[in-house]
Amino acid sequence: MDAFRSDRRARPLSPLLLGVVIGAIGLVLAIGGIWLAILGGSAYYVLAGVAMLGSGALLFRRNILGGWLYIAVFVLTVIWAFAEVGANNWALVPRVIAPLVLLVATLLVMPTLSRHPLRWKLGLGASGAAVALTAVTALIFAQMAQTGPAFDLPPLGQEMTDPALAKAGDDWPAYGGSESARRFSPLGQITPENVGTLKRAWLIHTGDMPSSPKIAKTYGGENTPLKVGSMLYVCTPKNIVLALDAATGKQRWRFDPKVPDDAIPYTAACRGVSYYAVPGASADQPCGQRLIFGTLDARLFAIDARSGARCASFGANGEVDTKIGMGNTPAGYVSINSPPTIVRGVVVTGHQVLDGQDRWAPSGVIRAFDAITGKLRWAWDMMHPDWNGYPPTGQTWARGTPNMWTIASGDEQLGLVYLPMGNAAADYYSSLRRPQEKQFATSLVALDVTTGKPRWRFQAVRNDVWDYDFGAQASLVDYRGAPALVLPSKQGDIYVLDRRTGKPLTPIGELRAPGGGVEPEQRAKTQRVSLWHTLRKPMLTEHDMWGMSPIDQMVCRIQFRKASYKGFFTPPESDRRSIEYPGYNGGTDWGGVAIDPRRGVIVANYNDMPNYVRLVPRAEANKKGWAPRDQARGEIGGAEGAGDPQAHTPYAIDVNAGWRLPFTGMLCKQPPYGGIRAIDMASGRTIWDRPLGSARTNGPFGIPSMLPFEIGTPNNGGSVVTAGGVIFVAATTDNLIRAIDLKTGKTLWSDVLPAGGQATPMTYSVNGKQYLVIAPGGHHFMETPIGDEVIAYALP
């Protein structure tokens, strides 16, 4: 036994240094642990902190007992970790990995404090065992995303009618494949068996890159090209439209509407353009085939699809100013970044109004224009339902009303357009809202395309103060013999509605909603939820808090305990933070869902992150200099809601999107932060569900870890599913595009993109060859690299 006693004659420096490190960490854990325990949280941190203080002090004195004490702390930590979260790999990371690193260091230092003849062999052997344990853990992580499906795919043979005039096939004639927005291609040349051989067929640069570092903070891209005939149509962040040869990528023509930088709203993005063939027009008639699209400065253009020339008979020389009738519209406040929807020759467009600036921001009015002449057909202003055209002289459309910033879908047979509506201006304060705004906000509204009058509405959130506006298109399907639509939402619920009436075709329930907040009298007692399928995960608990070490996990636990959190629909407060879960990025955002109509399978990629929110009293916001953009907002970019003034309300809003720690940039909730799921539409059950996105470009302090593990990252952009049984999706923050097996959810192929893939891919065929195309423009909010590439893939 004497051989294992501390050797006081040697004076090695390593135990002293290790003692300082362990003792310092112990001090932080002890102090923070006391705070957490007072708040009602776990007592582990204070106990571990005190024990590590003792271990550090003993090691500092070069006493080998300090090493044995730390070994005991580690063993008990592992027991506590498994007792708290079981075998959840990602949840174990902050609880075990950092302590494991200190264990290896301790095992290497302990031989310097012993006289035993085998001390170095024992120390190195124990350290090797710890490293081997880490390697085994890494192998387990690598297998996490490759779990098998829970159920088999439904059989082939289902038939769904598509009311759209132009359908996906050899072409991709609309943003969602067709105006039915299924994001499905009947092409089957690329299959799970051969997709692994996909290669880049061509790559081009559009030339639309930010003019300065400041403008780079706004670029988002988000484009999905169209393909009609031999032409591929691409729209860049500042609305430059390019026509490319679909087989080679060679540019045929280029149209630049000259959008100024000061017109950029929150994001410089052009999700797409719309194609329209004039009925009865000859093949060589000028503008017989045309592209119609909006711009960041809220102009609506019509250009010849063959030449890129303006359609002179449309509006004034091919353009219409959609700001007419809106009153004061400062630069950047009103923009069109989504393609219009064209039904029965009527072009229906909404627009984005810059979020969070002013309760009386410009109107959310919906307009419809003649696809040939550009003449205003009708306007729907919910505050003036009897107005059919432009406002009377001296008046404007009602300010501050909910807008449709995203993409509508349309039914050519029923003559309806389905509008995913946003919220009234000032998302997080509701007392100044008018009855009509409360009625139509956060709703899917079906308008008669001939009259512009509402046929029906379906509201997902009552008096929304969470920015849960509808971001995704509704996808038109057949469901149990009825013409229906699938409606995904930011809060994660998926609904199936009769598209003739808006009547729910799948079960819907009522959730008792928490009250309180700064407007308790405004909060609804219940909120609507889907009982058929939801992407929402269970309520957060303290155990769900994360980080890269016990220290930042402890900080997140303290923040969790300090915040107001009463479950789903927790109202925002002003005297402390509140937790909004899911956050405003979804659930499902503008990427929408893809649907295989032959099997009745929904493919939904989704986000799973909270927001950390606080309403900031006006006086405090004024001291911080938070003012509307046209006054003194300062630099644009960054996360939406992070210091938005909400002028003309009592409160500004401060949103910590994703709930990130200020020092490391890591998210407080444990992974995964995003996933992809296949859903049987007949039953609503999950076929398979897996994390989407690896940790390769993510890490603490913004340093890429380059780890290949599927952590499940935040994602923006949708997927496309093909008759070949392959799903194509990018969207994640790891800058990869993936091919996923529809049957199993397994990744079959991937490629590293030159910029962030925050866009929905599309697929088409030329001369019997199937191509996959994506425009990876990157995204400032997702913090991915900006780029101007358009990339096509094909089999060799």
Side-chain angles (χ1 to χ4, degrees):
M1 289 297 294
D2 288 344
F4 287 95
R5 288 184 302 184
S6 177
D7 184 359
R8 297 184 181 276
R9 293 172 297 176
R11 308 299 292 175
L13 187 61
S14 54
L16 185 148
L17 296 176
L18 180 61
V20 169
V21 171
I22 291 178
I25 294 172
L27 179 63
V28 173
L29 290 177
I31 294 173
I34 292 172
W35 190 2
L36 178 60
I38 292 172
L39 292 171
S42 171
Y44 160 79
Y45 296 89
V46 64
L47 297 175
V50 170
M52 289 179 69
L53 270 172
S55 171
L58 289 168
L59 286 170
F60 187 82
R61 297 173 58 191
R62 298 180 176 88
N63 189 325
I64 198 171
L65 290 178
W68 291 113
L69 179 55
Y70 182 77
I71 291 172
V73 169
F74 178 79
V75 170
L76 293 174
T77 293
V78 171
I79 294 171
W80 164 78
F82 277 91
E84 191 171 56
V85 298
N88 183 329
N89 298 58
W90 286 114
L92 291 172
V93 167
R95 293 168 170 86
V96 174
I97 297 300
L100 180 63
V101 172
L102 287 179
L103 175 66
V104 172
T106 301
L107 292 172
L108 290 173
V109 164
M110 284 178 69
T112 69
L113 302 174
S114 170
R115 296 196 303 271
H116 194 283
L118 299 178
R119 60 188 183 274
W120 286 108
K121 290 183 179 180
L122 290 171
L124 291 172
S127 300
V131 172
L133 177 63
T134 305
V136 171
T137 302
L139 182 63
I140 294 172
F141 272 65
Q143 300 300 316
M144 282 180 65
Q146 305 301 331
T147 55
F151 297 98
D152 292 332
L153 282 179
L156 288 168
Q158 299 188 40
E159 294 295 332
M160 290 189 187
T161 59
D162 187 341
L165 296 178
K167 303 173 178 62
D170 287 343
D171 289 344
W172 191 267
Y175 175 79
S178 76
E179 296 293 6
S180 295
R182 293 175 183 169
R183 295 171 185 80
F184 170 78
S185 171
L187 300 178
Q189 185 179 87
I190 301 173
T191 67
E193 291 71 32
N194 63 27
V195 70
T197 64
L198 272 185
K199 302 292 183 184
R200 292 187 182 183
W202 51 260
L203 180 152
I204 65 104
H205 292 270
T206 67
D208 186 356
M209 290 291 284
S211 59
S212 68
K214 177 181 177 181
I215 298 302
K217 295 179 180 180
T218 69
Y219 261 49
E222 303 180 1
N223 180 249
T224 297
L226 301 189
K227 188 265 185 183
V228 180
S230 63
M231 303 275 259
L232 188 73
Y233 301 107
V234 176
C235 185
T236 74
K238 287 180 62 179
N239 305 114
I240 300 169
V241 179
L242 290 80
L244 310 176
D245 184 288
T248 66
K250 182 179 179 180
Q251 182 174 308
R252 298 277 189 87
W253 53 257
R254 179 185 184 95
F255 177 81
D256 187 351
K258 304 295 183 183
V259 173
D261 282 347
D262 66 1
I264 297 173
Y266 172 63
T267 298
C270 178
R271 296 192 182 97
V273 301
S274 297
Y275 172 84
Y276 181 69
V278 176
S282 62
D284 59 352
Q285 180 178 328
C287 284
Q289 302 172 62
R290 58 185 62 190
L291 302 179
I292 302 176
F293 62 96
T295 61
L296 296 180
D297 53 0
R299 291 175 289 164
L300 190 68
F301 280 86
I303 58 177
D304 191 298
R306 297 177 307 153
S307 66
R310 291 171 179 254
C311 297
S313 62
F314 183 91
N317 192 28
E319 66 178 274
V320 174
D321 183 0
T322 69
K323 297 189 297 298
I324 296 172
M326 297 188 72
N328 181 37
T329 54
Y333 264 70
V334 176
S335 62
I336 302 174
N337 53 21
S338 296
T341 299
I342 305 175
V343 174
R344 296 185 178 179
V346 180
V347 181
V348 180
T349 184
H351 54 273
Q352 180 187 32
V353 178
L354 193 63
D355 255 0
Q357 301 304 297
D358 195 320
R359 170 63 187 97
W360 306 115
S363 178
V365 60
I366 307 295
R367 274 74 44 84
F369 300 88
D370 188 283
I372 297 175
T373 67
K375 183 180 179 180
L376 184 72
R377 287 279 197 96
W378 49 258
W380 177 54
D381 176 352
M382 62 185 67
M383 297 304 301
H384 299 103
D386 296 331
W387 292 2
N388 293 317
Y390 287 109
T393 302
Q395 298 189 58
T396 65
W397 282 308
R399 299 184 73 84
T401 53
N403 64 84
M404 182 189 71
W405 56 267
T406 186
I407 310 114
S409 46
D411 189 321
E412 190 77 24
Q413 294 174 5
L414 294 176
L416 297 177
V417 284
Y418 304 101
L419 312 177
M421 296 298 293
N423 211 344
D427 285 300
Y428 299 89
Y429 187 76
S430 59
S431 292
L432 297 177
R433 292 175 188 165
R434 297 159 289 193
Q436 296 92 328
E437 294 175 307
K438 293 181 179 181
Q439 180 183 12
F440 288 106
T442 319
S443 298
L444 187 76
V445 179
L447 294 188
D448 187 310
V449 77
T450 303
T451 65
K453 304 302 182 186
R455 286 268 194 93
W456 56 260
R457 69 179 178 91
F458 174 85
Q459 188 169 57
V461 181
R462 300 182 178 105
N463 212 3
D464 178 6
V465 287
W466 302 274
D467 199 8
Y468 277 159
D469 47 3
F470 276 116
Q473 275 183 299
S475 299
L476 276 56
V477 298
D478 291 339
Y479 183 78
R480 298 183 178 178
L485 51 83
V486 174
L487 178 63
S489 67
K490 282 188 176 182
Q491 60 270 30
D493 290 317
I494 300 178
Y495 305 96
V496 181
L497 310 177
D498 188 314
R499 65 177 185 262
R500 299 165 299 187
T501 64
K503 178 183 177 181
L505 299 176
T506 52
I508 288 177
E510 294 287 328
L511 175 74
R512 182 169 293 279
V518 299
E519 312 167 276
E521 72 286 350
Q522 290 283 325
R523 300 286 65 81
K525 295 186 182 301
T526 63
Q527 291 285 1
R528 175 174 271 168
V529 292
S530 173
L531 300 179
W532 177 74
H533 195 94
T534 183
L535 302 169
R536 284 184 291 116
K537 302 298 176 70
M539 284 178 53
L540 294 175
T541 69
E542 183 189 321
H543 295 177
D544 296 315
M545 298 302 99
W546 205 65
M548 290 305 294
S549 73
I551 291 177
D552 47 352
Q553 188 195 48
M554 178 184 67
V555 171
C556 288
R557 287 178 182 246
I558 291 171
Q559 290 186 358
F560 177 83
R561 289 289 180 177
K562 288 174 62 181
S564 170
Y565 183 56
K566 307 171 186 177
F568 302 117
F569 301 105
T570 297
E573 299 189 8
S574 63
D575 57 350
R576 58 174 173 165
R577 293 273 184 174
S578 62
I579 297 171
E580 173 194 342
Y581 179 62
Y584 61 48
N585 207 34
T588 303
D589 205 347
W590 54 265
V593 299
I595 296 175
D596 183 341
R598 306 166 316 140
R599 295 183 180 272
V601 174
I602 300 169
V603 177
N605 57 296
Y606 60 92
N607 286 296
D608 184 18
M609 299 176 295
N611 285 349
Y612 205 51
V613 180
R614 179 177 169 243
L615 288 167
V616 180
R618 179 61 52 207
E620 182 181 342
N622 290 342
K623 288 181 180 179
K624 293 176 179 290
W626 295 354
R629 172 169 165 171
D630 58 316
Q631 298 174 27
R633 186 170 183 264
E635 291 191 7
I636 54 178
E640 184 177 336
D644 283 348
Q646 295 197 135
H648 297 105
T649 73
Y651 302 96
I653 185 66
D654 190 16
V655 178
N656 179 343
W659 188 2
R660 300 171 66 172
L661 287 167
F663 1 99
T664 64
M666 302 300 291
L667 280 67
C668 267
K669 176 196 163 291
Q670 68 189 22
Y673 306 121
I676 186 166
R677 184 181 298 182
I679 303 160
D680 181 352
M681 198 164 69
S683 64
R685 71 185 181 185
T686 296
I687 299 169
W688 51 258
D689 186 14
R690 50 156 286 189
L692 178 65
S694 71
R696 61 182 297 274
T697 61
N698 302 280
F701 309 104
I703 302 171
S705 69
M706 301 312 296
L707 296 173
F709 308 139
E710 289 287 317
I711 192 171
T713 72
N715 57 88
N716 254 339
S719 64
V720 58
V721 61
T722 71
V726 180
I727 302 161
F728 294 106
V729 64
T732 54
T733 59
D734 58 7
N735 308 329
L736 295 179
I737 183 171
R738 291 172 169 81
I740 295 174
D741 191 335
L742 177 64
K743 181 178 180 180
T744 66
K746 181 180 178 180
T747 296
L748 304 168
W749 165 89
S750 65
D751 187 42
V752 178
L753 298 170
Q758 283 67 58
T760 304
M762 48 82 79
T763 186
Y764 59 86
S765 179
V766 178
N767 298 324
K769 191 178 190 70
Q770 184 178 354
Y771 292 83
L772 166 71
V773 169
I774 188 168
H779 207 285
H780 67 102
F781 175 68
M782 305 295 284
E783 299 179 2
T784 55
I786 303 300
D788 68 340
E789 292 87 358
V790 181
I791 306 172
Y793 299 89
L795 297 175

